[in-house]
Short mmCIF file of all heavy atoms in Angstrom, two decimals:
data_model
loop_
_atom_site.label_atom_id
_atom_site.label_comp_id
_atom_site.label_asym_id
_atom_site.label_seq_id
_atom_site.Cartn_x
_atom_site.Cartn_y
_atom_site.Cartn_z
N ASN A 183 -7.97 9.40 4.70
CA ASN A 183 -7.21 10.61 4.41
C ASN A 183 -8.08 11.85 4.56
O ASN A 183 -7.74 12.93 4.09
CB ASN A 183 -6.55 10.54 3.02
CG ASN A 183 -7.56 10.24 1.94
OD1 ASN A 183 -8.76 10.39 2.16
ND2 ASN A 183 -7.08 9.81 0.78
N GLU A 184 -9.23 11.70 5.26
CA GLU A 184 -10.13 12.84 5.40
C GLU A 184 -10.08 13.51 6.78
O GLU A 184 -10.32 14.70 6.91
CB GLU A 184 -11.57 12.40 5.13
CG GLU A 184 -11.80 12.04 3.66
CD GLU A 184 -13.04 11.20 3.49
OE1 GLU A 184 -14.03 11.45 4.19
OE2 GLU A 184 -12.99 10.26 2.67
N PHE A 185 -9.85 12.72 7.82
CA PHE A 185 -9.87 13.27 9.19
C PHE A 185 -9.10 12.31 10.08
O PHE A 185 -8.68 11.24 9.63
CB PHE A 185 -11.33 13.40 9.69
CG PHE A 185 -12.12 12.13 9.55
CD1 PHE A 185 -12.01 11.11 10.49
CD2 PHE A 185 -12.98 11.93 8.46
CE1 PHE A 185 -12.73 9.93 10.35
CE2 PHE A 185 -13.69 10.74 8.31
CZ PHE A 185 -13.57 9.75 9.26
N ASP A 186 -8.94 12.69 11.37
CA ASP A 186 -8.32 11.76 12.32
C ASP A 186 -9.16 11.69 13.59
O ASP A 186 -9.22 12.66 14.35
CB ASP A 186 -6.88 12.20 12.66
CG ASP A 186 -6.15 11.12 13.45
OD1 ASP A 186 -6.75 10.03 13.64
OD2 ASP A 186 -5.00 11.36 13.84
N ASN A 187 -9.81 10.55 13.78
CA ASN A 187 -10.66 10.39 14.97
C ASN A 187 -9.91 9.85 16.18
O ASN A 187 -10.51 9.66 17.23
CB ASN A 187 -11.88 9.52 14.65
CG ASN A 187 -12.94 10.34 13.93
OD1 ASN A 187 -12.82 11.57 13.86
ND2 ASN A 187 -13.96 9.70 13.40
N LEU A 188 -8.61 9.62 16.02
CA LEU A 188 -7.76 9.46 17.22
C LEU A 188 -7.14 10.84 17.41
O LEU A 188 -6.09 11.17 16.85
CB LEU A 188 -6.69 8.38 17.01
CG LEU A 188 -5.73 8.17 18.19
CD1 LEU A 188 -6.47 7.71 19.43
CD2 LEU A 188 -4.64 7.16 17.85
N ILE A 189 -7.83 11.66 18.19
CA ILE A 189 -7.50 13.09 18.24
C ILE A 189 -6.13 13.34 18.86
O ILE A 189 -5.40 14.23 18.46
CB ILE A 189 -8.62 13.84 19.00
CG1 ILE A 189 -9.95 13.66 18.26
CG2 ILE A 189 -8.30 15.33 19.14
CD1 ILE A 189 -11.17 13.99 19.10
N GLY A 190 -5.79 12.52 19.85
CA GLY A 190 -4.48 12.65 20.49
C GLY A 190 -4.26 11.53 21.48
O GLY A 190 -5.21 10.81 21.83
N PHE A 191 -3.02 11.38 21.91
CA PHE A 191 -2.73 10.33 22.91
C PHE A 191 -1.48 10.68 23.70
O PHE A 191 -0.66 11.51 23.29
CB PHE A 191 -2.58 8.96 22.24
CG PHE A 191 -1.42 8.85 21.29
CD1 PHE A 191 -0.14 8.56 21.77
CD2 PHE A 191 -1.59 9.02 19.93
CE1 PHE A 191 0.94 8.46 20.90
CE2 PHE A 191 -0.52 8.91 19.05
CZ PHE A 191 0.75 8.64 19.54
N ASN A 192 -1.34 10.00 24.83
CA ASN A 192 -0.18 10.11 25.72
C ASN A 192 0.13 8.71 26.24
O ASN A 192 -0.81 7.97 26.54
CB ASN A 192 -0.55 10.95 26.96
CG ASN A 192 -0.09 12.37 26.86
OD1 ASN A 192 0.75 12.70 26.04
ND2 ASN A 192 -0.64 13.23 27.71
N MET A 193 1.40 8.38 26.39
CA MET A 193 1.76 7.07 26.97
C MET A 193 2.92 7.27 27.93
O MET A 193 3.84 8.02 27.64
CB MET A 193 2.24 6.11 25.87
CG MET A 193 1.21 5.73 24.86
SD MET A 193 2.01 5.13 23.35
CE MET A 193 2.21 3.43 23.79
N ARG A 194 2.87 6.54 29.06
CA ARG A 194 3.96 6.61 30.05
C ARG A 194 4.23 5.25 30.67
O ARG A 194 3.31 4.44 30.79
CB ARG A 194 3.59 7.56 31.20
CG ARG A 194 3.46 9.04 30.84
CD ARG A 194 4.80 9.73 30.68
NE ARG A 194 5.68 9.55 31.82
CZ ARG A 194 5.65 10.28 32.93
NH1 ARG A 194 4.78 11.25 33.07
NH2 ARG A 194 6.51 10.05 33.90
N THR A 195 5.47 5.01 31.08
CA THR A 195 5.78 3.87 31.95
C THR A 195 6.78 4.35 32.99
O THR A 195 7.53 5.31 32.76
CB THR A 195 6.41 2.68 31.20
OG1 THR A 195 7.59 3.11 30.53
CG2 THR A 195 5.46 2.04 30.21
N ASP A 196 6.78 3.67 34.15
CA ASP A 196 7.79 3.92 35.18
C ASP A 196 8.18 2.58 35.80
O ASP A 196 7.55 2.13 36.77
CB ASP A 196 7.26 4.88 36.24
CG ASP A 196 8.37 5.25 37.25
OD1 ASP A 196 9.45 4.64 37.18
OD2 ASP A 196 8.13 6.14 38.08
N GLY A 197 9.19 1.96 35.20
CA GLY A 197 9.65 0.65 35.65
C GLY A 197 10.20 0.64 37.06
O GLY A 197 10.28 -0.41 37.69
N ARG A 198 10.55 1.81 37.59
CA ARG A 198 11.08 1.87 38.96
C ARG A 198 10.03 1.45 39.98
O ARG A 198 10.34 1.05 41.09
CB ARG A 198 11.56 3.29 39.29
CG ARG A 198 12.79 3.70 38.50
CD ARG A 198 13.06 5.17 38.66
NE ARG A 198 11.94 5.99 38.19
CZ ARG A 198 11.91 7.31 38.17
NH1 ARG A 198 12.95 7.98 38.60
NH2 ARG A 198 10.85 7.97 37.73
N LYS A 199 8.76 1.60 39.58
CA LYS A 199 7.67 1.25 40.51
C LYS A 199 7.00 -0.06 40.12
O LYS A 199 5.87 -0.36 40.54
CB LYS A 199 6.66 2.39 40.54
CG LYS A 199 7.28 3.65 41.09
CD LYS A 199 6.29 4.77 41.21
CE LYS A 199 6.98 6.00 41.79
NZ LYS A 199 6.56 7.23 41.17
N GLY A 200 7.70 -0.83 39.30
CA GLY A 200 7.13 -2.08 38.76
C GLY A 200 6.75 -3.09 39.84
O GLY A 200 5.85 -3.90 39.64
N SER A 201 7.41 -3.03 40.99
CA SER A 201 7.16 -4.05 42.01
C SER A 201 5.79 -3.90 42.68
O SER A 201 5.39 -4.78 43.44
CB SER A 201 8.25 -3.98 43.09
OG SER A 201 8.19 -2.72 43.72
N PHE A 202 5.05 -2.83 42.38
CA PHE A 202 3.72 -2.68 42.99
C PHE A 202 2.71 -3.68 42.45
O PHE A 202 1.70 -3.94 43.08
CB PHE A 202 3.17 -1.26 42.77
CG PHE A 202 3.93 -0.18 43.50
CD1 PHE A 202 3.80 1.15 43.11
CD2 PHE A 202 4.76 -0.48 44.56
CE1 PHE A 202 4.49 2.15 43.77
CE2 PHE A 202 5.46 0.52 45.24
CZ PHE A 202 5.33 1.83 44.84
N LEU A 203 2.97 -4.18 41.24
CA LEU A 203 2.01 -5.11 40.62
C LEU A 203 2.76 -6.01 39.64
O LEU A 203 3.30 -5.52 38.65
CB LEU A 203 0.92 -4.29 39.91
CG LEU A 203 -0.27 -5.02 39.29
CD1 LEU A 203 -0.95 -5.96 40.26
CD2 LEU A 203 -1.29 -4.00 38.79
N ASN A 204 2.82 -7.30 39.97
CA ASN A 204 3.62 -8.22 39.16
C ASN A 204 2.92 -9.55 38.93
O ASN A 204 2.12 -9.99 39.73
CB ASN A 204 4.94 -8.58 39.85
CG ASN A 204 5.81 -7.38 40.07
OD1 ASN A 204 5.94 -6.93 41.19
ND2 ASN A 204 6.38 -6.86 39.02
N LEU A 205 3.32 -10.16 37.81
CA LEU A 205 2.96 -11.56 37.56
C LEU A 205 4.28 -12.22 37.16
O LEU A 205 4.54 -12.45 35.98
CB LEU A 205 1.92 -11.61 36.43
CG LEU A 205 0.99 -12.81 36.33
CD1 LEU A 205 -0.01 -12.64 35.23
CD2 LEU A 205 1.69 -14.12 36.23
N PRO A 206 5.15 -12.47 38.14
CA PRO A 206 6.54 -12.84 37.82
C PRO A 206 6.74 -14.31 37.51
O PRO A 206 5.95 -15.16 37.96
CB PRO A 206 7.27 -12.49 39.12
CG PRO A 206 6.26 -12.66 40.20
CD PRO A 206 4.91 -12.36 39.58
N SER A 207 7.81 -14.62 36.77
CA SER A 207 8.16 -16.02 36.56
C SER A 207 8.62 -16.59 37.89
O SER A 207 9.14 -15.87 38.75
CB SER A 207 9.26 -16.14 35.50
OG SER A 207 10.41 -15.47 35.94
N ASN A 208 8.41 -17.90 38.09
CA ASN A 208 8.67 -18.41 39.45
C ASN A 208 10.06 -18.98 39.64
O ASN A 208 10.39 -19.43 40.74
CB ASN A 208 7.59 -19.39 39.90
CG ASN A 208 7.58 -20.64 39.07
OD1 ASN A 208 8.41 -20.79 38.19
ND2 ASN A 208 6.65 -21.53 39.34
N LYS A 209 10.92 -18.96 38.59
CA LYS A 209 12.35 -19.25 38.75
C LYS A 209 12.63 -20.50 39.59
O LYS A 209 13.29 -20.43 40.61
CB LYS A 209 13.04 -18.05 39.42
CG LYS A 209 13.09 -16.83 38.55
CD LYS A 209 14.43 -16.68 37.90
CE LYS A 209 14.47 -15.46 37.00
NZ LYS A 209 15.29 -15.63 35.84
N LYS A 210 12.12 -21.63 39.17
CA LYS A 210 12.43 -22.87 39.89
C LYS A 210 13.74 -23.43 39.36
O LYS A 210 13.88 -23.66 38.16
CB LYS A 210 11.31 -23.89 39.65
CG LYS A 210 10.35 -24.01 40.79
CD LYS A 210 9.78 -25.42 40.85
CE LYS A 210 8.50 -25.46 41.62
NZ LYS A 210 7.38 -25.95 40.83
N LYS A 211 14.70 -23.61 40.29
CA LYS A 211 16.02 -24.10 39.86
C LYS A 211 15.94 -25.59 39.53
O LYS A 211 15.37 -26.37 40.27
CB LYS A 211 17.03 -23.85 40.99
CG LYS A 211 18.47 -23.97 40.53
CD LYS A 211 19.41 -23.49 41.61
CE LYS A 211 20.02 -24.69 42.29
NZ LYS A 211 21.03 -24.36 43.29
N ASP A 212 16.53 -25.92 38.38
CA ASP A 212 16.56 -27.33 37.95
C ASP A 212 17.91 -27.52 37.26
O ASP A 212 18.64 -26.55 37.04
CB ASP A 212 15.40 -27.58 36.98
CG ASP A 212 14.94 -29.04 37.02
OD1 ASP A 212 15.77 -29.90 37.40
OD2 ASP A 212 13.78 -29.30 36.68
N SER A 213 18.27 -28.76 36.92
CA SER A 213 19.51 -28.91 36.15
C SER A 213 19.27 -29.79 34.94
O SER A 213 18.45 -30.71 34.98
CB SER A 213 20.63 -29.46 37.03
OG SER A 213 20.42 -30.82 37.27
N ILE A 214 19.97 -29.47 33.86
CA ILE A 214 19.79 -30.21 32.61
C ILE A 214 20.63 -31.49 32.69
O ILE A 214 20.13 -32.60 32.48
CB ILE A 214 20.24 -29.36 31.40
CG1 ILE A 214 19.44 -28.06 31.35
CG2 ILE A 214 20.07 -30.13 30.08
CD1 ILE A 214 19.94 -27.05 30.36
N ILE A 215 21.88 -31.28 33.02
CA ILE A 215 22.82 -32.40 33.12
C ILE A 215 24.01 -31.91 33.94
O ILE A 215 24.35 -30.72 33.89
CB ILE A 215 23.24 -32.89 31.70
CG1 ILE A 215 23.99 -34.21 31.79
CG2 ILE A 215 24.04 -31.85 30.94
CD1 ILE A 215 24.13 -34.91 30.44
N ASP A 216 24.61 -32.77 34.72
CA ASP A 216 25.75 -32.42 35.57
C ASP A 216 25.50 -31.09 36.29
O ASP A 216 24.50 -30.96 36.94
CB ASP A 216 27.05 -32.35 34.72
CG ASP A 216 27.35 -33.69 34.05
OD1 ASP A 216 26.92 -34.73 34.61
OD2 ASP A 216 27.96 -33.70 32.98
N ASN A 217 26.39 -30.11 36.07
CA ASN A 217 26.20 -28.84 36.79
C ASN A 217 25.69 -27.72 35.89
O ASN A 217 25.93 -26.54 36.12
CB ASN A 217 27.49 -28.44 37.51
CG ASN A 217 28.65 -28.37 36.54
OD1 ASN A 217 28.45 -28.66 35.35
ND2 ASN A 217 29.82 -27.99 37.02
N ILE A 218 25.00 -28.09 34.80
CA ILE A 218 24.37 -27.05 33.95
C ILE A 218 22.96 -26.81 34.50
O ILE A 218 22.06 -27.64 34.33
CB ILE A 218 24.27 -27.51 32.47
CG1 ILE A 218 25.62 -27.97 31.92
CG2 ILE A 218 23.63 -26.41 31.61
CD1 ILE A 218 26.59 -26.86 31.64
N GLU A 219 22.80 -25.65 35.14
CA GLU A 219 21.51 -25.36 35.77
C GLU A 219 20.65 -24.47 34.89
O GLU A 219 21.16 -23.75 34.04
CB GLU A 219 21.74 -24.67 37.11
CG GLU A 219 22.35 -25.59 38.13
CD GLU A 219 22.63 -24.90 39.45
OE1 GLU A 219 22.71 -23.65 39.45
OE2 GLU A 219 22.77 -25.61 40.45
N PHE A 220 19.34 -24.54 35.11
CA PHE A 220 18.43 -23.64 34.40
C PHE A 220 17.23 -23.35 35.28
O PHE A 220 17.00 -24.06 36.27
CB PHE A 220 18.00 -24.24 33.05
CG PHE A 220 16.98 -25.34 33.18
CD1 PHE A 220 15.64 -25.10 32.90
CD2 PHE A 220 17.36 -26.60 33.60
CE1 PHE A 220 14.70 -26.11 33.02
CE2 PHE A 220 16.41 -27.62 33.74
CZ PHE A 220 15.09 -27.38 33.44
N SER A 221 16.47 -22.31 34.91
CA SER A 221 15.23 -22.00 35.63
C SER A 221 14.08 -22.57 34.83
O SER A 221 13.92 -22.20 33.65
CB SER A 221 15.02 -20.49 35.72
OG SER A 221 16.12 -19.88 36.33
N SER A 222 13.30 -23.44 35.42
CA SER A 222 12.18 -24.02 34.67
C SER A 222 11.08 -22.97 34.51
O SER A 222 10.97 -22.05 35.32
CB SER A 222 11.65 -25.25 35.38
OG SER A 222 11.05 -24.89 36.59
N GLY A 223 10.29 -23.11 33.44
CA GLY A 223 9.26 -22.11 33.11
C GLY A 223 8.11 -22.14 34.09
O GLY A 223 7.96 -23.08 34.87
N GLY A 224 7.29 -21.12 34.04
CA GLY A 224 6.12 -21.06 34.92
C GLY A 224 6.05 -19.72 35.61
O GLY A 224 7.03 -18.96 35.62
N PHE A 225 4.88 -19.42 36.13
CA PHE A 225 4.67 -18.12 36.76
C PHE A 225 4.08 -18.25 38.16
O PHE A 225 3.33 -19.17 38.44
CB PHE A 225 3.72 -17.27 35.89
CG PHE A 225 4.36 -16.88 34.59
CD1 PHE A 225 4.29 -17.72 33.50
CD2 PHE A 225 5.07 -15.71 34.48
CE1 PHE A 225 4.91 -17.39 32.31
CE2 PHE A 225 5.69 -15.36 33.30
CZ PHE A 225 5.61 -16.20 32.21
N SER A 226 4.46 -17.29 39.01
CA SER A 226 3.83 -17.19 40.33
C SER A 226 2.52 -16.42 40.14
O SER A 226 2.38 -15.67 39.17
CB SER A 226 4.72 -16.40 41.28
OG SER A 226 5.95 -17.03 41.41
N PRO A 227 1.59 -16.53 41.09
CA PRO A 227 0.35 -15.76 40.95
C PRO A 227 0.61 -14.25 41.07
O PRO A 227 1.69 -13.82 41.49
CB PRO A 227 -0.51 -16.24 42.12
CG PRO A 227 0.15 -17.45 42.65
CD PRO A 227 1.59 -17.39 42.26
N ILE A 228 -0.40 -13.47 40.72
CA ILE A 228 -0.31 -12.00 40.78
C ILE A 228 0.05 -11.53 42.19
O ILE A 228 -0.52 -12.02 43.17
CB ILE A 228 -1.68 -11.39 40.37
CG1 ILE A 228 -1.94 -11.68 38.89
CG2 ILE A 228 -1.75 -9.90 40.68
CD1 ILE A 228 -3.35 -11.40 38.45
N GLN A 229 1.00 -10.59 42.25
CA GLN A 229 1.39 -9.97 43.53
C GLN A 229 1.07 -8.48 43.43
O GLN A 229 1.46 -7.84 42.46
CB GLN A 229 2.89 -10.14 43.77
CG GLN A 229 3.29 -11.61 43.87
CD GLN A 229 4.79 -11.82 43.72
OE1 GLN A 229 5.56 -10.88 43.61
NE2 GLN A 229 5.18 -13.08 43.72
N MET A 230 0.37 -7.96 44.41
CA MET A 230 -0.07 -6.57 44.30
C MET A 230 0.00 -5.83 45.62
O MET A 230 -0.38 -6.36 46.65
CB MET A 230 -1.53 -6.55 43.81
CG MET A 230 -2.07 -5.18 43.52
SD MET A 230 -3.80 -5.23 43.02
CE MET A 230 -4.56 -5.48 44.62
N ASN A 231 0.49 -4.60 45.56
CA ASN A 231 0.39 -3.67 46.69
C ASN A 231 -0.77 -2.73 46.35
O ASN A 231 -0.60 -1.72 45.66
CB ASN A 231 1.72 -2.90 46.84
CG ASN A 231 1.69 -1.94 48.01
OD1 ASN A 231 0.63 -1.47 48.40
ND2 ASN A 231 2.84 -1.66 48.57
#
Side-chain angles (χ1 to χ4, degrees):
N183 54 17
E184 292 161 38
F185 52 81
D186 190 4
N187 281 350
L188 178 62
I189 299 163
F191 64 84
N192 261 344
M193 295 160 86
R194 293 283 307 277
T195 57
D196 186 352
R198 292 169 300 182
K199 296 183 179 140
S201 63
F202 293 162
L203 186 51
N204 298 107
L205 204 176
S207 62
N208 65 3
K209 292 260 179 214
K210 258 210 200 120
K211 196 170 103 176
D212 208 336
S213 75
I214 302 170
I215 191 165
D216 300 332
N217 56 358
I218 307 286
E219 291 178 339
F220 76 103
S221 304
S222 68
F225 292 87
S226 300
I228 293 168
Q229 298 164 4
M230 186 183 77
N231 181 333

